[in-house]
């Protein structure tokens, strides 16, 4: 079971996400870091465990487009870990440059797609990650993107936005169904993970990895538990 820490970025700072209500997100206050600067927070997380990958959501880019300098800001982080980057990618043009960057794995969020064309062109690319986004029971994005599992790339995130930061537990039922449809693809859980028991249950379901934030910052996942779950996997996730 891989644990991938989440860094949600808004106005250039790491914010604490809660149930997908992005307008209410505020800079994070965490015992792991003296500031909400992305590199400070990442360094604090890596004091818990030398995580080989981070998930970075550029929230301003998701809503307004990727700003100049956003990728440059990530270079020091890419120097120590892979970055799974969700920046509202919605066109092949936006992805061309990112797919050439060592250590950056672009995440194609379903909420940012107008149709299935981008995924159709790139589904075979080994570095592309698809995020299937849900608000409650509603899939956010073109229905065909969810319905046609043949389009899915090798890594699929199941993002349950209303469970993010909610301490409500993962959506085990939805994850079980998507894992069944995904076949041998890696399925990654996102939203609601509270403690080691949740991660152990996900692993038993065949889930490959989990995006985690709150339980790392509040201490629910200790360094010992993280190390045990990661099982010594210190190579870069990919």
């Amino acid at each position: 079971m891989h644990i991938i820490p989440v860094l949600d970025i808004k106005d250039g700072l790491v914010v604490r996400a809660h149930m997908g209500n992005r307008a209410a997100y505020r800079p994070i206050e965490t015992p792991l870091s003296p500031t909400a600067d992305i590199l400070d927070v990442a360094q604090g997380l890596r004091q818990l465990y030398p995580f080989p990958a981070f998930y970075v959501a550029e929230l301003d880019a998701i809503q307004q487009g990727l700003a100049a300098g956003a990728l440059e800001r990530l270079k020091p982080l890419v120097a120590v870990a892979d970055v799974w980057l969700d920046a509202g990618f919605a066109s092949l043009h936006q992805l061309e440059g990112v797919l050439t960057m060592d250590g950056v794995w672009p995440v194609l969020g379903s909420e940012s797609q107008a149709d299935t064309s981008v995924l159709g062109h790139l589904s075979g690319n080994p570095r592309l990650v698809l995020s299937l986004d849900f608000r409650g029971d509603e899939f956010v994005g073109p229905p065909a993107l969810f319905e046609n599992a043949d389009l899915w790339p090798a890594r699929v995130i199941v993002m349950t936005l209303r469970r993010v930061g909610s301490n409500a537990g993962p959506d085990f039922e939805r994850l079980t169904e998507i894992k069944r449809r995904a076949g041998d693809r890696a399925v990654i859980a996102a939203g609601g993970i509270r403690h080691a028991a949740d991660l152990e249950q996900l692993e038993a379901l065949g889930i490959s990895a989990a995006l985690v934030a709150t339980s790392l910052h509040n201490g629910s996942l200790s360094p010992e538990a993280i190390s045990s779950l990661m099982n010594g996997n210190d190579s870069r996730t990919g």
Side-chain angles (χ1 to χ4, degrees), residues 182-226:
D184 60 359
R185 297 173 179 85
V187 174
I188 298 97
I193 293 159
R194 300 162 293 187
H195 39 54
D198 282 343
L199 292 167
E200 290 165 355
Q201 187 171 347
L202 289 171
E203 187 174 23
L205 293 175
I207 303 303
S208 300
L211 307 186
V212 182
T214 301
S215 56
L216 294 173
H217 293 286
N218 68 18
S220 296
L221 283 172
S222 67
E224 295 77 18
I226 296 166

Side-chain angles (χ1 to χ4, degrees), residues 39 46 74-83 102-104 236:
L39 298 179
R46 282 177 60 84
L74 294 175
K75 283 188 176 179
L77 181 57
V78 175
V80 298
D82 285 342
V83 170
D102 289 340
V104 179
R236 287 191 170 199

Side-chain angles (χ1 to χ4, degrees), residues 116-117 119-124 128 130 144-154 156 185:
T116 63
S117 61
L119 182 60
H121 277 92
L122 295 175
S123 62
L128 187 74
L130 172 65
L145 194 152
F146 175 63
E147 294 163 0
N148 188 359
D150 290 338
L151 285 175
W152 298 352
V156 180
R185 297 173 179 85

Side-chain angles (χ1 to χ4, degrees), residues 18-32:
H18 184 66
M19 300 178 71
N21 182 17
R22 291 168 180 156
Y25 291 1
R26 296 294 179 266
I28 195 169
E29 296 181 4
T30 170
L32 302 180

Side-chain angles (χ1 to χ4, degrees), residues 29-231:
E29 296 181 4
T30 170
L32 302 180
S33 173
T35 77
D37 178 80
I38 183 171
L39 298 179
D40 284 346
V41 177
Q43 183 177 12
L45 287 162
R46 282 177 60 84
Q47 294 301 309
L48 297 176
Y49 185 86
F51 294 104
F54 285 84
Y55 174 92
V56 175
E58 285 279 357
L59 301 178
D60 293 329
I62 290 171
Q63 295 178 303
Q64 304 162 15
L66 190 62
L71 294 177
E72 190 72 22
R73 184 172 62 232
L74 294 175
K75 283 188 176 179
L77 181 57
V78 175
V80 298
D82 285 342
V83 170
W84 291 21
L85 178 62
D86 184 352
F89 301 117
S91 71
L92 290 172
H93 174 72
Q94 291 173 325
L95 287 160
E96 285 172 352
V98 179
L99 284 167
T100 66
M101 296 177 63
D102 289 340
V104 179
W105 299 66
V107 176
L108 199 66
S110 65
E111 69 170 312
S112 301
Q113 307 310 299
D115 51 40
T116 63
S117 61
V118 176
L119 182 60
H121 277 92
L122 295 175
S123 62
N125 190 298
R127 292 180 49 209
L128 187 74
V129 183
L130 172 65
S131 180
L132 299 174
D133 303 324
F134 296 86
R135 291 187 183 276
D137 292 329
E138 181 182 355
F139 176 69
V140 185
L145 194 152
F146 175 63
E147 294 163 0
N148 188 359
D150 290 338
L151 285 175
W152 298 352
R155 292 167 184 80
V156 180
I157 297 169
V158 181
M159 178 70 72
T160 308
L161 291 164
R162 285 190 181 174
R163 294 185 183 239
V164 170
S166 68
N167 200 38
D171 191 339
F172 292 110
E173 184 176 351
R174 175 174 290 136
L175 285 159
T176 299
E177 173 60 18
I178 290 178
K179 175 57 183 173
R180 182 190 65 78
R181 295 179 56 211
D184 60 359
R185 297 173 179 85
V187 174
I188 298 97
I193 293 159
R194 300 162 293 187
H195 39 54
D198 282 343
L199 292 167
E200 290 165 355
Q201 187 171 347
L202 289 171
E203 187 174 23
L205 293 175
I207 303 303
S208 300
L211 307 186
V212 182
T214 301
S215 56
L216 294 173
H217 293 286
N218 68 18
S220 296
L221 283 172
S222 67
E224 295 77 18
I226 296 166
S227 181
S228 176
L229 287 159
M230 296 284 279
N231 195 29

